[in-house]
Amino acid sequence: MPHVEPPSEPLPLVVVPGMMCDPSLWAEVDFPEGHPVLHLELGKPDIGALADDLLARVSGPFVVVGLSLGAIVAFEALRRSPERIAGLCVMSTNAGAPRPEQYAAWRAMEGLVDDGRFADAVEQTLPGMFPTPRPSSESAERYRRMARAVGPDAARAQLAAQSTRRDAIDALRGARCPAVVLSGSRDALCPPDFHQVIASALPDAELRTVPDAGHLLPWQEPSAVSDALRDLLGRVRTRPTACPTRPAF
């Protein structure tokens, strides 16, 4: 058996939200005790620049937790510095390159924001955030409040960043860390099959599908996210210090 040593200090968790989301997205998540939790804002119009911000958020190894656009930023950070990422938790996301209809939707939404109709842009995104297109009035208003806190300038930058995405499958195949991939069974934006692709590409991933959940998993099923993080950190602590490498073909 290889010698196993736990990290000398608790690994920090860098937490990255989705588009039009802020740290309140994670308010009900019970992050593992003792681990510093650092939140990253998405305010630059380029995935590469956001990935550099993520890597600069801490020195040394860390665990990254990302939802939707935040997970896409994590994929790019993994491409750039796989040795820095000790654990990966991604959810409600897509590792594929943008599709033509997505470019068109982002341009249309950016036009609304530019025209001073940010509230209309928020309403367009709202139905896809929940397990059903008509969430409760309380849930809908909570999402609106969060989007307003993010604001039109950051939303415009996030829409521009979406357009700089690229296929991340090769980056996932180069991962050196344990990972957990979470999806909501009723996520209309990023359905479970997207996550099956992601988990299949990662060398050491566990796939978890949360029944009856939509896109905003940390709100709708915070206990599922909390459990996944606890289990992931357990795998990070018991991982051999010399990580196996993938064979070259």
Side-chain angles (χ1 to χ4, degrees):
M1 293 287 293
H3 178 62
V4 175
E5 294 181 3
S8 57
E9 297 180 357
L11 285 166
L13 277 64
V14 182
V15 182
V16 196
M19 200 174 81
M20 294 194 188
C21 298
D22 69 5
S24 69
L25 174 72
W26 312 92
E28 284 81 35
V29 173
D30 185 15
F31 288 102
E33 186 176 355
H35 293 265
V37 178
L38 308 171
H39 293 274
L40 183 73
E41 295 183 2
L42 300 177
K44 292 183 178 177
D46 179 79
I47 293 295
L50 292 170
D52 288 341
D53 284 351
L54 173 57
L55 292 166
R57 192 68 178 83
V58 294
S59 60
F62 62 95
V63 174
V64 60
V65 185
L67 178 139
S68 197
L69 179 59
I72 292 166
V73 173
F75 296 156
E76 183 61 28
L78 185 66
R79 186 196 311 273
R80 296 175 181 221
S81 294
E83 74 286 352
R84 292 278 315 282
I85 298 178
L88 178 68
C89 176
V90 293
M91 63 196 82
S92 308
T93 193
N94 181 6
R99 303 182 300 275
E101 63 270 22
Q102 289 179 300
Y103 285 118
W106 296 329
R107 286 193 297 269
M109 196 174 301
E110 189 172 2
L112 289 175
V113 178
D114 289 341
D115 290 343
R117 299 170 59 194
F118 176 64
D120 291 339
V122 173
E123 291 304 308
Q124 282 194 7
T125 65
L126 190 151
M129 296 294 111
F130 299 94
T132 64
R134 295 183 179 180
S136 70
S137 58
E138 180 182 355
S139 295
E141 186 54 34
R142 180 179 176 181
Y143 176 70
R144 293 185 186 105
R145 286 197 304 268
M146 182 172 64
R148 287 195 296 266
V150 171
D153 290 339
R156 188 183 295 107
Q158 291 164 6
L159 287 164
Q162 289 275 22
S163 296
T164 68
R165 287 165 40 187
R166 50 180 170 160
D167 188 282
I169 294 301
D170 284 345
L172 301 182
R173 290 178 177 141
R176 306 177 187 178
C177 62
V180 61
V181 180
L182 295 171
S183 73
S185 68
R186 300 178 68 178
D187 187 343
L189 288 181
C190 298
D193 60 321
F194 286 12
H195 300 83
Q196 292 169 1
V197 171
I198 293 168
S200 295
L202 287 161
D204 183 11
E206 179 186 0
L207 175 64
R208 299 187 180 190
T209 302
V210 184
D212 299 321
H215 194 67
L216 297 179
L217 279 174
W219 279 7
Q220 294 153 20
E221 295 292 342
S223 61
V225 177
S226 303
D227 290 347
L229 289 173
R230 184 188 64 248
D231 294 347
L232 174 64
L233 284 166
R235 291 164 62 202
V236 170
R237 285 194 294 270
T238 59
R239 189 174 180 82
T241 54
C243 297
T245 57
R246 294 172 66 88
F249 293 98

